[in-house]
Amino acid sequence: MKPAAIGIRTHSGWGALLAASGEAASLDVIDRRRIVMTDPNLPGANQPLHYAAKMALPDAKKYLSHCAEVSQHLALAAVDAVVRELHNREYQVIGSAILLASGRSLPALSEILASHPLIHTAEGEFFRISFWRACERLGLPVIGIREHDLDECGEAVFGKCTDNVWRRISSLKNSLGSPWTEDQKKASFAASVILATDGRSIPLFEGRPSLDIHPRWIG
């Protein structure tokens, strides 16, 4: 079995998932897909905290818990499908990396819903948590890497070869075609970090989605 790693970058309501294998200097992208994480029939699901901000707090908690349950179910099904398909192709997923924002600590839900900037921050964390929990449930080692730490993390792992790794990733569009945006590039880099470290911990650069400290309302 050849080792593979998964990198994930999320947006409101969906995430870009990429699986890669091989050495960083010759990275091979073996899967990439857009994962929808919301029920199209559920009002406001793509921006659940924006929608919940219009509700009384008990109703907001109930609504968000339901949204979280749906998103986590969809994320689990998607990641499981990728792992199974790769296994059938003789790849073993050794770990996963989820790209994080600044890692700002978030307050209680009532405070979040009263602040538009905090709503935006929390919404990003909301969907990252779904992927995080999906990886955990599947027994995949998972780390979070803050996006603004990617270069520094790369230097710690790849040393002077970091720029070469980025150039290799950028050049993959020539063979893979579209989509090859920041989503796929950064997810590829995160996956290459996992591969280069054999899925081991990278404490200096790791984080977790901060909404995970509020299990009482996020499911």
mmCIF file of all heavy atoms in Angstrom, residues 112-131:
data_model
loop_
_atom_site.group_PDB
_atom_site.id
_atom_site.type_symbol
_atom_site.label_atom_id
_atom_site.label_comp_id
_atom_site.label_asym_id
_atom_site.label_seq_id
_atom_site.Cartn_x
_atom_site.Cartn_y
_atom_site.Cartn_z
ATOM 1 N N ILE A 112 -21.403 35.403 20.285
ATOM 2 C CA ILE A 112 -21.110 35.273 18.861
ATOM 3 C C ILE A 112 -22.249 35.837 18.027
ATOM 4 O O ILE A 112 -22.029 36.623 17.095
ATOM 5 C CB ILE A 112 -20.869 33.794 18.495
ATOM 6 C CG1 ILE A 112 -19.594 33.275 19.149
ATOM 7 C CG2 ILE A 112 -20.787 33.619 16.973
ATOM 8 C CD1 ILE A 112 -19.390 31.785 18.993
ATOM 9 N N LEU A 113 -23.473 35.456 18.355
ATOM 10 C CA LEU A 113 -24.626 35.864 17.554
ATOM 11 C C LEU A 113 -24.916 37.353 17.653
ATOM 12 O O LEU A 113 -25.643 37.907 16.823
ATOM 13 C CB LEU A 113 -25.863 35.057 17.961
ATOM 14 C CG LEU A 113 -25.780 33.551 17.700
ATOM 15 C CD1 LEU A 113 -27.060 32.857 18.128
ATOM 16 C CD2 LEU A 113 -25.491 33.264 16.224
ATOM 17 N N ALA A 114 -24.336 38.026 18.641
ATOM 18 C CA ALA A 114 -24.529 39.469 18.797
ATOM 19 C C ALA A 114 -23.476 40.272 18.046
ATOM 20 O O ALA A 114 -23.521 41.503 18.042
ATOM 21 C CB ALA A 114 -24.496 39.839 20.278
ATOM 22 N N SER A 115 -22.531 39.595 17.399
ATOM 23 C CA SER A 115 -21.423 40.288 16.738
ATOM 24 C C SER A 115 -21.250 39.754 15.323
ATOM 25 O O SER A 115 -20.933 38.580 15.127
ATOM 26 C CB SER A 115 -20.125 40.075 17.530
ATOM 27 O OG SER A 115 -18.997 40.442 16.769
ATOM 28 N N HIS A 116 -21.429 40.616 14.321
ATOM 29 C CA HIS A 116 -21.315 40.172 12.931
ATOM 30 C C HIS A 116 -19.911 39.652 12.607
ATOM 31 O O HIS A 116 -19.782 38.605 11.948
ATOM 32 C CB HIS A 116 -21.710 41.297 11.976
ATOM 33 C CG HIS A 116 -21.985 40.811 10.593
ATOM 34 N ND1 HIS A 116 -21.149 41.069 9.539
ATOM 35 C CD2 HIS A 116 -23.001 40.044 10.097
ATOM 36 C CE1 HIS A 116 -21.637 40.504 8.444
ATOM 37 N NE2 HIS A 116 -22.743 39.871 8.753
ATOM 38 N N PRO A 117 -18.841 40.310 13.032
ATOM 39 C CA PRO A 117 -17.501 39.754 12.768
ATOM 40 C C PRO A 117 -17.311 38.367 13.392
ATOM 41 O O PRO A 117 -16.703 37.479 12.775
ATOM 42 C CB PRO A 117 -16.563 40.788 13.397
ATOM 43 C CG PRO A 117 -17.321 42.059 13.363
ATOM 44 C CD PRO A 117 -18.740 41.663 13.620
ATOM 45 N N LEU A 118 -17.827 38.182 14.620
ATOM 46 C CA LEU A 118 -17.695 36.879 15.261
ATOM 47 C C LEU A 118 -18.524 35.815 14.547
ATOM 48 O O LEU A 118 -18.131 34.645 14.489
ATOM 49 C CB LEU A 118 -18.110 36.955 16.731
ATOM 50 C CG LEU A 118 -17.147 37.674 17.675
ATOM 51 C CD1 LEU A 118 -17.714 37.709 19.083
ATOM 52 C CD2 LEU A 118 -15.777 36.993 17.671
ATOM 53 N N ILE A 119 -19.653 36.215 14.006
ATOM 54 C CA ILE A 119 -20.469 35.271 13.235
ATOM 55 C C ILE A 119 -19.675 34.739 12.051
ATOM 56 O O ILE A 119 -19.672 33.539 11.769
ATOM 57 C CB ILE A 119 -21.782 35.941 12.770
ATOM 58 C CG1 ILE A 119 -22.750 36.097 13.951
ATOM 59 C CG2 ILE A 119 -22.445 35.132 11.652
ATOM 60 C CD1 ILE A 119 -24.003 36.865 13.623
ATOM 61 N N HIS A 120 -18.988 35.637 11.336
ATOM 62 C CA HIS A 120 -18.179 35.205 10.188
ATOM 63 C C HIS A 120 -17.073 34.250 10.642
ATOM 64 O O HIS A 120 -16.834 33.211 10.008
ATOM 65 C CB HIS A 120 -17.567 36.419 9.499
ATOM 66 C CG HIS A 120 -18.487 37.078 8.515
ATOM 67 N ND1 HIS A 120 -18.727 36.564 7.256
ATOM 68 C CD2 HIS A 120 -19.236 38.195 8.623
ATOM 69 C CE1 HIS A 120 -19.582 37.345 6.618
ATOM 70 N NE2 HIS A 120 -19.904 38.346 7.418
ATOM 71 N N THR A 121 -16.401 34.592 11.727
ATOM 72 C CA THR A 121 -15.330 33.737 12.232
ATOM 73 C C THR A 121 -15.869 32.367 12.635
ATOM 74 O O THR A 121 -15.298 31.327 12.283
ATOM 75 C CB THR A 121 -14.646 34.398 13.447
ATOM 76 O OG1 THR A 121 -14.112 35.662 13.061
ATOM 77 C CG2 THR A 121 -13.521 33.526 13.989
ATOM 78 N N ALA A 122 -16.971 32.375 13.372
ATOM 79 C CA ALA A 122 -17.538 31.115 13.862
ATOM 80 C C ALA A 122 -18.067 30.245 12.734
ATOM 81 O O ALA A 122 -18.003 29.015 12.809
ATOM 82 C CB ALA A 122 -18.657 31.415 14.861
ATOM 83 N N GLU A 123 -18.568 30.883 11.681
ATOM 84 C CA GLU A 123 -19.106 30.108 10.571
ATOM 85 C C GLU A 123 -18.008 29.275 9.901
ATOM 86 O O GLU A 123 -18.225 28.120 9.518
ATOM 87 C CB GLU A 123 -19.759 31.033 9.548
ATOM 88 C CG GLU A 123 -21.017 30.468 8.946
ATOM 89 C CD GLU A 123 -22.052 31.545 8.727
ATOM 90 O OE1 GLU A 123 -21.738 32.516 8.009
ATOM 91 O OE2 GLU A 123 -23.163 31.414 9.270
ATOM 92 N N GLY A 124 -16.822 29.864 9.765
ATOM 93 C CA GLY A 124 -15.717 29.093 9.214
ATOM 94 C C GLY A 124 -15.376 27.903 10.082
ATOM 95 O O GLY A 124 -15.164 26.783 9.593
ATOM 96 N N GLU A 125 -15.345 28.124 11.395
ATOM 97 C CA GLU A 125 -15.035 27.033 12.325
ATOM 98 C C GLU A 125 -16.114 25.958 12.300
ATOM 99 O O GLU A 125 -15.827 24.770 12.456
ATOM 100 C CB GLU A 125 -14.893 27.588 13.740
ATOM 101 C CG GLU A 125 -13.788 28.618 13.906
ATOM 102 C CD GLU A 125 -12.403 28.023 13.730
ATOM 103 O OE1 GLU A 125 -12.032 27.743 12.567
ATOM 104 O OE2 GLU A 125 -11.703 27.831 14.740
ATOM 105 N N PHE A 126 -17.354 26.367 12.107
ATOM 106 C CA PHE A 126 -18.483 25.450 12.109
ATOM 107 C C PHE A 126 -18.264 24.301 11.127
ATOM 108 O O PHE A 126 -18.473 23.123 11.452
ATOM 109 C CB PHE A 126 -19.750 26.230 11.749
ATOM 110 C CG PHE A 126 -21.025 25.446 11.864
ATOM 111 C CD1 PHE A 126 -21.752 25.452 13.046
ATOM 112 C CD2 PHE A 126 -21.515 24.720 10.787
ATOM 113 C CE1 PHE A 126 -22.945 24.739 13.144
ATOM 114 C CE2 PHE A 126 -22.698 24.008 10.887
ATOM 115 C CZ PHE A 126 -23.410 24.024 12.067
ATOM 116 N N PHE A 127 -17.828 24.639 9.911
ATOM 117 C CA PHE A 127 -17.668 23.598 8.890
ATOM 118 C C PHE A 127 -16.340 22.863 9.031
ATOM 119 O O PHE A 127 -16.240 21.686 8.655
ATOM 120 C CB PHE A 127 -17.836 24.207 7.500
ATOM 121 C CG PHE A 127 -19.243 24.656 7.234
ATOM 122 C CD1 PHE A 127 -19.580 26.004 7.243
ATOM 123 C CD2 PHE A 127 -20.251 23.724 7.023
ATOM 124 C CE1 PHE A 127 -20.880 26.415 7.021
ATOM 125 C CE2 PHE A 127 -21.565 24.125 6.806
ATOM 126 C CZ PHE A 127 -21.887 25.476 6.810
ATOM 127 N N ARG A 128 -15.330 23.523 9.572
ATOM 128 C CA ARG A 128 -14.066 22.812 9.830
ATOM 129 C C ARG A 128 -14.280 21.692 10.844
ATOM 130 O O ARG A 128 -13.699 20.612 10.724
ATOM 131 C CB ARG A 128 -13.003 23.789 10.348
ATOM 132 C CG ARG A 128 -12.548 24.798 9.310
ATOM 133 C CD ARG A 128 -11.458 25.705 9.840
ATOM 134 N NE ARG A 128 -11.200 26.779 8.902
ATOM 135 C CZ ARG A 128 -11.616 28.038 9.049
ATOM 136 N NH1 ARG A 128 -12.303 28.382 10.133
ATOM 137 N NH2 ARG A 128 -11.340 28.946 8.143
ATOM 138 N N ILE A 129 -15.098 21.967 11.848
ATOM 139 C CA ILE A 129 -15.349 20.964 12.879
ATOM 140 C C ILE A 129 -15.971 19.704 12.282
ATOM 141 O O ILE A 129 -15.652 18.583 12.688
ATOM 142 C CB ILE A 129 -16.271 21.536 13.968
ATOM 143 C CG1 ILE A 129 -15.532 22.583 14.788
ATOM 144 C CG2 ILE A 129 -16.782 20.430 14.897
ATOM 145 C CD1 ILE A 129 -16.435 23.375 15.679
ATOM 146 N N SER A 130 -16.849 19.879 11.305
ATOM 147 C CA SER A 130 -17.497 18.712 10.700
ATOM 148 C C SER A 130 -16.473 17.784 10.072
ATOM 149 O O SER A 130 -16.534 16.554 10.231
ATOM 150 C CB SER A 130 -18.517 19.175 9.654
ATOM 151 O OG SER A 130 -19.579 19.881 10.264
ATOM 152 N N PHE A 131 -15.516 18.343 9.354
ATOM 153 C CA PHE A 131 -14.468 17.518 8.761
ATOM 154 C C PHE A 131 -13.558 16.927 9.836
ATOM 155 O O PHE A 131 -13.135 15.777 9.745
ATOM 156 C CB PHE A 131 -13.637 18.340 7.774
ATOM 157 C CG PHE A 131 -14.247 18.431 6.405
ATOM 158 C CD1 PHE A 131 -14.647 19.648 5.883
ATOM 159 C CD2 PHE A 131 -14.414 17.289 5.626
ATOM 160 C CE1 PHE A 131 -15.204 19.737 4.626
ATOM 161 C CE2 PHE A 131 -14.970 17.365 4.355
ATOM 162 C CZ PHE A 131 -15.367 18.593 3.850
#
